[in-house]
Amino acid sequence: MNVIDTKIPDVKIIEPTVFSDERGFFMETWNQQKFEELVTRKPTKFVQDNHSKSKKGILRGLHYQAVNTQGKLVRVVSGEVFDVAVDIRKDSNTFGQWVGVYLSAENKRQLWIPEGFAHGFYVTSDEAEFVYKCTDYYSPKFEITLKWDDKLIDIEWPILEAPILSEKDIKGISLNNWCEK
């Protein structure tokens, strides 16, 4: 396992060791001991796994839970997405900054997004299947959606035309409005 630092120190790119030959490949997608030793450097418990499938042009996010905050270990098992983590920890030196990474079935990368970050992704392939582990349970009544195109955050999405959004994502709030809560 190779752990790559990003411009936000707590967000990590994880490249698993992949063993390939003419038959296919094998990789370890999860190892508690290595994850805690190399990534979080603290005990980390996952309680829920999620799996979504989306078509090209769909943008999901930016989602965050104000209570029962979730850390997420995300990866793509089919297709490709541009995955984004936004630091919304008000006392952080990197507050309002974002990290964007291409995750794909081909590159097999994972992204660790710790508690205190909003998360979203944009599907760049014809379709993508996205799986992720969460450190707390989904709690829709505490979910907050930030505007995907908030000028204050200024994410450089690889979007060529208007993304396809859910009603929840259309109604996202600005980071400034979230800070006032």
Side-chain angles (χ1 to χ4, degrees), residues 155-169:
I155 297 169
E156 296 173 19
W157 296 99
I159 297 175
L160 301 177
E161 55 190 54
I164 302 164
L165 302 168
S166 70
E167 192 64 32
K168 171 175 74 174
D169 294 339

Side-chain angles (χ1 to χ4, degrees), residues 92-136:
S92 171
N93 292 338
T94 55
F95 175 78
Q97 294 182 30
W98 61 275
V99 169
V101 177
Y102 284 95
L103 303 177
S104 69
E106 187 176 315
N107 71 23
K108 298 175 181 47
R109 285 180 156 188
Q110 298 179 45
L111 188 65
W112 165 241
I113 305 161
E115 294 86 350
F117 285 76
H119 173 252
F121 65 89
Y122 175 74
V123 180
T124 57
S125 56
D126 287 338
E127 63 181 28
E129 292 194 47
F130 189 85
V131 297
Y132 55 106
K133 298 180 154 320
C134 300
T135 59
D136 210 330

Side-chain angles (χ1 to χ4, degrees), residues 55-91:
K55 296 178 183 177
K56 185 174 189 158
I58 290 177
L59 191 148
R60 297 185 185 269
L62 300 161
H63 302 149
Y64 173 75
Q65 281 185 188
V67 176
N68 303 331
T69 306
Q70 295 177 308
K72 297 176 181 175
L73 179 61
V74 303
R75 67 187 180 103
V76 171
V77 295
S78 173
E80 179 186 72
V81 307
F82 183 71
D83 198 72
V84 173
V86 178
D87 189 348
I88 59 172
R89 301 171 297 176
K90 292 178 182 174
D91 60 347

Side-chain angles (χ1 to χ4, degrees), residues 9-92:
D10 294 331
V11 177
K12 305 288 186 188
I13 299 168
I14 301 166
E15 292 180 329
T17 303
V18 180
F19 302 94
S20 303
D21 61 25
E22 65 282 350
R23 299 169 298 157
F25 72 88
F26 170 84
M27 68 180 196
E28 185 177 77
T29 61
W30 172 246
N31 181 306
Q32 183 85 30
Q33 185 176 9
K34 286 181 186 176
F35 186 77
E36 291 174 353
E37 178 184 324
L38 299 174
V39 179
T40 62
R41 293 182 168 69
K42 65 178 185 176
T44 305
K45 179 182 172 186
F46 290 103
V47 298
Q48 181 176 323
D49 280 2
N50 298 320
H51 186 147
S52 71
K53 183 176 181 178
S54 303
K55 296 178 183 177
K56 185 174 189 158
I58 290 177
L59 191 148
R60 297 185 185 269
L62 300 161
H63 302 149
Y64 173 75
Q65 281 185 188
V67 176
N68 303 331
T69 306
Q70 295 177 308
K72 297 176 181 175
L73 179 61
V74 303
R75 67 187 180 103
V76 171
V77 295
S78 173
E80 179 186 72
V81 307
F82 183 71
D83 198 72
V84 173
V86 178
D87 189 348
I88 59 172
R89 301 171 297 176
K90 292 178 182 174
D91 60 347
S92 171

